[in-house]
Amino acid sequence: MEIRTRFAPSPTGYMHIGNLRTALYEYLIAKSEGGKFILRIEDTDQGRLVEGATDVIYNTLKMTGLQHDEGPDVGGPYGPYVQSERMGMYMDYAKELVAKGEAYYCFCTKERLDSLKESNEEGVAFAKYDRHCLGLSAEEVEAKLEAGEPFVIRQKMPDAGTTTFDDVVYGAITVENKELDDQILMKADGYPTYNFANVVDDHLMHITHVVRGSEYLSSTPKYSLLYAAFGWDCPVYVHLPAVMRDAQHKLSKRHGDKSFEDLIKEGYLVDAIMNYIALLGWAPSDNTEIFTLAELEGKFHIGGLSKSPSIFDIKKLTWMNGEYMKAMDAETFFTHAEPKLKEALGEDTQMDLKYIASLLQKRLETLNDIAPLVQSFKELPEYGTELYTHKKMKTNDEIALDSLQASVPVLEAITDWTEENIHNTILDLVAAKGVKNGIIMWPIRTALSGEPTSPGGATELALILGKEESMRRIQKGIAMLTK
């Protein structure tokens, strides 16, 4: 049997981390077994649709490499893959259940249903429909339909007994049927409910594994009863525990937690994000932590999923992101760093961006660290003479002034401003004065950067800034120290 999974998001906004993790696990379950990964857009809840959200879904899947085998944009044998384009079939399937006695028409008004909730002693959350319309005769139902009365179609739940389903993560779960409400399958606007459309579409698209959050565990008995009512085989259920901000709170955009788009904007790499998300609820058979997507396809096994909630640790992601950047070859890193460098230094900068990137690569945790590290290249910041004093380098204002004044003529004499020539010239000055390297290097580095730390030393900064700007900054340092 071919494994077929589906990612079925609703286009209602950003891609949150839990949703992306679900997509990743669905992809890996399919690909690790040579199966198919399907994209289906679930847009039946028209009131919650957000303009542009479908594009967010497509762009995220493209960026992350979760390439779907079937979907609205690539087609496939079981389309359409957008629920609103499948509307004709849902009512037909609901009426099939009515004919079987597994569902019934309900004509109750909103006012009557609200009164049921108000009169329920256990509170609104526990209110159940009282099956007022279940006893309507076929003639009464037909008359109401002929009169054009608004209706919904409800699933008729068993009155007694239990329903049991097996979940890959949580094992066998049994519920008392008397606790189940007669859920609505078709709404008064003619649209199917989320629960009903899911079951119909998953069956018609031959979905073998349904992956979703553990918050849907309470709805799963209803899904199982729907499959049984139609005489269809249930898929394999895989319910994932929540991704948490901390031990008590789930991740939530409303509370400032990051979406996938937020993380990208904050300078995290797609590959690092996906690697980290893969480990939020799944453990490999060994202690490996760094995986490419292709390696995950080979390593992933559904038995490695955990039932314990996972805490999204931004510090761990940041560490992993830094490891990804350190491990990149220079060209790959530059493709990621170049846009940030141009943003910080200007599109028309004449500085050697590849050289700057090479200095930064081992120092970064995120790509957004680039801008503050190179800001002094564009403009010398205001700084005080205290930066020239350094215990380890054994420098103070007097020593720094002497070193800078001595460096001016020898640096001015360089005709070919290369890294080698700058470095050798400074070392020759060190030898001539009979001092340690830091006595000369630290004051020059400070004058060139105006910062307590910098991505490079005196030689690297001088090369990046160029001869004219380097000499201007050194002269400014001399002027500060002679006041």
Side-chain angles (χ1 to χ4, degrees), residues 25 35 59 67-68 73 95-96 108 115 135 156 173 237 266 276 304 314 331 337 342 370 415-416 426 436 441 468:
Y25 286 173
N59 291 339
Q67 185 173 352
H68 46 284
D73 53 337
K95 288 179 178 178
E96 179 184 330
C108 291
S115 70
K156 181 185 174 185
I173 296 177
Y237 295 122
E266 292 184 9
Y276 181 65
I314 194 68
E331 283 298 323
K342 286 186 174 180
I370 289 175
T415 56
D416 188 9
I426 295 175
K436 291 186 178 294
M441 293 284 194
E468 182 180 348

Side-chain angles (χ1 to χ4, degrees), residues 97-111:
L97 291 180
V98 172
K100 289 181 172 183
E102 300 285 354
Y104 58 95
Y105 290 95
C106 174
F107 299 92
C108 291
T109 63
K110 182 179 183 299
E111 291 71 25

